[in-house]
Amino acid sequence: MEKKKVAVPLVCHGHSRPVVDLFYSPVTPDGFFLISASKDSSPMLRNGETGDWIGTFEGHKGAVWSCCLDTSALRAATASADFSTKVWDALTGDELHSFEHKHIARACAFSEDTHLLLTGGVEKILRIYDMNRPDAPPREVDKSPGSVRTVAWLHSDQTILSSCTDMGGVRLWDVRSGKIVQTLETKSSVTSAEVSQDGRYITTADGSTVKFWDANYYGLVKSYDMPCTIESVSLEPKYGNKFVAGGEDMWVHVFDFHTGNEIGKLLGPLVFDVVLCLYMF
């Protein structure tokens, strides 16, 4: 008899206010890691496989809206409502750099080669900081048409992806020219956008719809209606046969990538906890 697949949620306690962003590092020689951002202003680093707490980055004075790790998981970056984006030593927890903004910073992302840091926020400006020259003024990409909600790199750091809080669509920017070259049209504002680990798909959440786009030709591959308004979505990186989505009902729903059918619902509500979804076979 075939053994039944069971989704086992691993609960990682720690944050005292809602978790608003999660980021997994690539697999490194030391394993892989998870960083979480929360409105409690204290981003946390954990072992990505066990969920064990490693450390807390102390220094922000406002809600932390975005977090990321570089490719080697040696540095972390966080974007905050205290008008700053900070870069941290992920081994010691020490603050390495603090880049001041004129308004709330809501998004940050290291480039694949780890030399650049992309930020965005309420100012409607995409800034690119050179990590080899952190004291140099950042390069500013042509102003975003709205307040920036998410940012990411793709195409070996030749393209930037961004979405806005106050309008629909995902914009793709050519890094060399600093201009928008393509827009993925959505009816509602995109609250979550990521590039899959294999570089094949751009995954987005807008309103109560999850979409998968071809990351090279930008065509819509799949579109699924969700049971509630979705805030975040992520394609399972190892096999790519399922995705998780969370939203206003404060549960994490598991869906089949190929059919869009819901195949599970994980522990909730997620107000005070980070949940890692480990699929046991």
Side-chain angles (χ1 to χ4, degrees):
M1 181 181 295
E2 183 180 357
K3 190 175 181 180
K4 186 178 180 180
K5 299 177 182 180
V6 180
V8 181
L10 174 64
V11 182
C12 308
H13 300 276
H15 287 294
S16 60
R17 295 196 65 198
V19 174
V20 293
D21 195 22
L22 296 169
F23 183 93
Y24 277 109
S25 77
V27 178
T28 75
D30 297 314
F32 62 99
F33 302 90
L34 172 74
I35 186 171
S36 56
S38 168
K39 292 182 180 180
D40 64 9
S41 78
S42 299
M44 294 183 181
L45 183 67
R46 300 178 184 276
N47 180 296
E49 187 168 6
T50 67
D52 291 341
W53 176 85
I54 295 174
T56 301
F57 300 103
E58 300 285 356
H60 279 299
K61 295 179 173 61
V64 177
W65 287 103
S66 180
C67 58
C68 63
L69 293 161
D70 67 9
T71 305
S72 61
L74 296 177
R75 291 178 299 181
T78 52
S80 173
D82 65 8
F83 296 14
S84 75
T85 298
K86 295 182 183 294
V87 177
W88 314 81
D89 185 315
L91 298 179
T92 66
D94 294 336
E95 180 182 314
L96 300 176
H97 311 290
S98 183
F99 301 118
E100 301 305 313
H101 296 63
K102 295 179 181 178
H103 213 303
I104 294 170
R106 296 202 62 167
C108 59
F110 282 110
S111 59
E112 184 179 342
D113 65 12
T114 75
H115 296 316
L116 304 173
L117 179 69
L118 173 65
T119 72
V122 176
E123 289 181 88
K124 305 180 182 180
I125 298 173
L126 295 170
R127 293 185 173 92
I128 300 175
Y129 294 89
D130 186 341
M131 292 292 93
N132 297 316
R133 298 188 304 132
D135 295 329
R139 176 188 172 190
E140 294 188 356
V141 179
D142 198 8
K143 291 192 72 172
S144 168
S147 176
V148 178
R149 176 66 180 268
T150 61
V151 295
W153 298 83
L154 66 162
H155 301 155
S156 300
D157 302 330
Q158 298 304 304
T159 306
I160 288 172
L161 174 158
S162 73
S163 69
C164 301
T165 60
D166 44 6
M167 64 182 64
V170 172
R171 285 146 200 92
L172 296 152
W173 308 69
D174 178 78
V175 173
R176 288 168 294 185
S177 67
K179 303 296 182 182
I180 296 173
V181 295
Q182 184 81 25
T183 299
L184 309 182
E185 298 292 347
T186 64
K187 292 182 179 179
S188 305
S189 62
V190 172
T191 55
S192 176
E194 69 167 28
V195 181
S196 62
Q197 291 283 349
D198 60 10
R200 293 179 61 191
Y201 300 111
I202 297 170
T203 306
T204 64
D206 67 288
S208 58
T209 305
V210 168
K211 296 182 175 70
F212 297 92
W213 312 77
D214 187 298
N216 295 303
Y217 301 101
Y218 308 131
L220 182 62
V221 178
K222 297 179 183 293
S223 179
Y224 298 126
D225 292 329
M226 297 287 103
C228 67
T229 299
I230 297 298
E231 290 293 331
S232 61
V233 62
S234 184
L235 181 64
E236 187 272 327
K238 190 171 183 180
Y239 300 107
N241 59 358
K242 61 175 73 73
F243 64 94
V244 293
E248 64 181 11
D249 67 353
M250 302 177 71
W251 286 81
V252 174
H253 301 264
V254 186
F255 299 89
D256 184 284
F257 170 74
H258 301 289
T259 66
N261 294 331
E262 185 168 355
I263 57 177
K265 186 183 293 184
L266 305 182
L267 186 68
L270 301 181
V271 178
F272 300 108
D273 302 316
V274 179
V275 173
L276 306 183
C277 308
L278 304 184
Y279 299 92
M280 311 301 293
F281 295 89

